[in-house]
Amino acid sequence: KAYHLLTDYTDDEELTESQKNIRMNNTASCLMMMGRYSDARAVVEKCKERIDAQGEIKLLPRVLDTLGCLLIAEGFIDRGKYMLNLALEKLQDIEQNRSELSAGVLCHLGTLARRSGDYDSAFELHSKCVSLAYSSSELYEVTMGTANMAADMVRQLCFAEAEKYFEKAENAAQKHNLQYVQTFIDFSRAWSSHLLNDKEGECKYIASALKRAKKFHHNHFMIQEGRVSLPLFSTALENGIEVDYVFEVLVRIGEDSLPLIEKFICHNDPLMRKKVAFSMDKIGSSGALALLRRMRYDSDEQVQRLVNKSLIRLRKSLNSHLEILTPRESEVLKCLAEGLSNVQIAE
């Protein structure tokens, strides 16, 4: 619904150029939430081109944020992290030079602070986000900011305090049908249960989060968490919870997911081993190739055939340069293939 409302008025002649740019960025966000990644990328890159040409610096962090999230959702982890770090740099410039920030900017800064391990700053920024959002009646930012405060408290092992914020956010999310926020809450509660060694609660919440995430394509925040999410995905795989979807997300996480996938290369179910082999083929890295080699003599003929086919393909695509380049040279070559400039590669 949001997507159709935005696209109906994107070319409205009464809109200012700034308003058009904001609508384009929001359109890209909607497309990303719907899982239409290639369409979203086309819109947000066009939006960035317009902003660069117009010199509209204040909107740049929002567009970089969208582009970074989108790249991560597509599996381009390093490129996405670069965009998010660049967005953070621009947002910090705004914070230093403006007396008032939007609730969305504060929420973004808080989330990045949590991902970097600065939980105190994350909680403070999300608290400011909620306060500002209340004053401007931004319902979504209030609810998401509250859920983020709960997630910050979980990372600080303050579970009882976190649950108070979870309940408050969940009541608002259910009342106003904010599905994305509910997915985030369930995922964060699963992490809380994991830290408390509450296996029943962990299974309950990860099942709820993954079911909704699969339905509404809420996967990019899980991918952004990357390695941090692996214990929860391990629980899901061990208990047969949304197995196909979990492997889909692991492929998008890429190389960082291999320690988890490795646990299942000797699983007693050949169907699970086929999923493992297929996922490593999709990841297509040298690490995935090494794990596939360990499955060459699988007891199941179908798994063997799939593994050998993948090995042939990956050897052709990887060995030709891995045998003559150093690991650092290979990393630089990968960056070049993703279109990064010399400055970005150096960063």
Side-chain angles (χ1 to χ4, degrees), residues 59 65 75 128 247 268 314:
L59 291 181
D65 177 32
K128 290 180 180 178
F247 274 113
N268 56 13
L314 289 181

Side-chain angles (χ1 to χ4, degrees), residues 18-148:
S18 177
Q19 289 171 329
K20 288 181 180 179
N21 292 334
I22 291 171
R23 285 184 179 273
M24 285 182 71
N25 185 59
N26 289 342
T27 299
S29 295
C30 287
L31 287 166
M32 177 170 62
M33 293 292 191
M34 295 157 63
R36 293 170 55 182
Y37 298 132
S38 59
D39 292 337
R41 177 94 79 91
V43 174
V44 75
E45 288 181 344
K46 181 179 178 181
C47 183
K48 185 177 181 300
E49 288 177 5
R50 285 170 53 91
I51 287 173
D52 289 339
Q54 296 163 5
E56 195 165 11
I57 299 175
K58 65 181 181 179
L59 291 181
L60 184 58
R62 297 170 66 173
V63 176
L64 291 172
D65 177 32
T66 302
L67 184 55
C69 291
L70 179 60
L71 286 164
I72 290 173
E74 290 183 288
F76 300 108
I77 308 297
D78 293 338
R79 180 71 169 147
K81 284 182 179 178
Y82 171 79
M83 288 297 176
L84 289 176
N85 287 329
L86 186 58
L88 175 59
E89 179 183 316
K90 302 299 181 183
L91 287 169
Q92 288 172 333
D93 290 341
I94 293 173
E95 188 175 36
Q96 292 172 359
N97 295 299
R98 292 179 62 190
S99 59
E100 185 176 296
L101 287 170
S102 70
V105 170
L106 288 169
C107 192
H108 173 93
L109 285 169
T111 301
L112 287 177
R114 184 174 68 240
R115 288 176 186 146
S116 66
D118 189 355
Y119 305 133
D120 288 334
S121 295
F123 185 82
E124 181 181 353
L125 287 162
H126 286 132
S127 298
K128 290 180 180 178
C129 163
V130 172
S131 297
L132 183 58
Y134 266 125
S135 65
S136 54
S137 300
E138 296 178 74
L139 175 63
Y140 176 82
E141 297 296 351
V142 169
T143 311
M144 193 68 213
T146 304
N148 270 302

Side-chain angles (χ1 to χ4, degrees), residues 189-301:
R189 274 179 163 160
W191 184 244
S192 177
S193 298
H194 174 81
L195 294 174
L196 288 166
N197 201 29
D198 175 9
K199 296 299 182 183
E200 183 179 349
E202 184 180 356
C203 287
K204 171 187 172 183
Y205 288 119
I206 195 62
S208 178
L210 292 174
K211 181 179 180 180
R212 191 180 292 102
K214 180 181 179 181
K215 180 178 180 181
F216 296 107
H217 304 283
H218 295 163
N219 56 16
H220 65 278
F221 81 84
M222 299 179 190
I223 297 168
Q224 286 173 350
E225 294 288 339
R227 194 178 285 269
V228 175
S229 302
L230 297 188
L232 301 184
F233 291 138
S234 179
T235 297
L237 293 178
E238 289 166 1
N239 291 276
I241 300 170
E242 301 292 350
V243 172
D244 289 339
Y245 179 69
V246 170
F247 274 113
E248 179 184 326
V249 175
L250 291 175
V251 167
R252 291 187 181 279
I253 291 175
E255 187 84 10
D256 283 347
S257 69
L258 292 181
L260 170 56
I261 295 176
E262 183 179 8
K263 291 172 58 177
F264 295 89
I265 63 175
C266 295
H267 196 274
N268 56 13
D269 183 356
L271 181 59
M272 178 68 83
R273 300 198 301 276
K274 286 178 67 176
K275 295 180 189 298
V276 167
F278 183 77
S279 298
M280 289 191 291
D281 180 84
K282 287 290 186 181
I283 291 172
S285 66
S286 57
L289 179 64
L291 290 181
L292 274 171
R293 287 194 182 111
R294 292 167 55 184
M295 300 180 69
R296 283 178 295 180
Y297 306 109
D298 192 274
S299 59
D300 185 89
E301 291 185 2

Side-chain angles (χ1 to χ4, degrees), residues 41 45 67 71 76-86 328 330-347:
R41 177 94 79 91
E45 288 181 344
L67 184 55
L71 286 164
F76 300 108
I77 308 297
D78 293 338
R79 180 71 169 147
K81 284 182 179 178
Y82 171 79
M83 288 297 176
L84 289 176
N85 287 329
L86 186 58
R328 177 63 77 192
S330 297
E331 187 178 359
V332 172
L333 182 62
K334 181 180 178 182
C335 292
L336 286 169
E338 291 180 0
L340 272 66
S341 68
N342 287 343
V343 174
Q344 291 168 336
I345 294 172
E347 183 73 18

